[in-house]
Amino acid sequence: QVRLVESGGDSVQAGGSLRLSCVGSPDDPYCLGWFRQAPGKEREAVVTIYVDSSNTEYADSVKGRFTVSHDNAENMLYLQMNNLKPEDTAVYYCAADYSRSGCSGVYSSPIAVVGQGTQVTVSS
C-alpha cells in the first residue's frame, strides 16, 4: 500500500519560512502536489506538479512565495514556503493522483493517495 508521509510543519511568525517534506513512492503518478485545509474550511489547492513535464500550477494565493520541488530519485516532494502569512495557517497534505482528471488540486478522487498532514501555524 502506497503511503505518503509529511513533515516540517511548525509554528512561525508572519514573514517567516518553512520547508515541508513528503516522502513516499506512489507508483507512476500523473501528478503530485500539496493542498491545505484550515479548520472549518474546504480543502484548498496549493500546488500541483505534473510528473512527466514538471509543469507546475500554483494557487494565486501562494504564487511568488511558495516553491515546489520533486526529487524522483529520493521519492521526495518538498514545499518551500516563504513570507508566510496568518492566512496560510492550515494542515498541509501532500498527495498524488494517477489521472489527469484527478489532478484538480485538492486530490479528492477515489484513487488519490493523501498523506496524514502536517500542521502549519503562522502568527501575526
Side-chain angles (χ1 to χ4, degrees), residues 31-106:
C31 65
L32 301 164
W34 295 88
F35 67 90
R36 63 190 182 187
Q37 190 165 23
K41 294 190 175 181
E42 299 286 323
R43 289 184 180 187
E44 179 188 12
V46 174
V47 61
T48 287
I49 180 168
Y50 294 91
V51 175
D52 284 350
S53 66
S54 295
N55 288 338
T56 55
E57 294 177 350
Y58 287 91
D60 288 343
S61 58
V62 306
K63 279 182 183 176
R65 300 188 298 122
F66 290 11
T67 304
V68 68
S69 58
H70 177 221
D71 185 335
N72 193 42
E74 298 293 329
N75 295 319
M76 296 294 296
L77 185 69
Y78 301 100
L79 184 66
Q80 178 66 43
M81 307 187 295
N82 297 328
N83 191 22
L84 283 160
K85 303 176 180 181
E87 52 263 44
D88 294 319
T89 295
V91 178
Y92 283 70
Y93 299 87
C94 73
D97 209 301
Y98 300 90
S99 68
R100 178 63 181 92
S101 62
C103 296
S104 63
V106 294

Side-chain angles (χ1 to χ4, degrees), residues 100-119:
R100 178 63 181 92
S101 62
C103 296
S104 63
V106 294
Y107 295 87
S108 57
S109 81
I111 61 172
V113 179
V114 179
Q116 86 288 349
T118 187
Q119 177 71 47

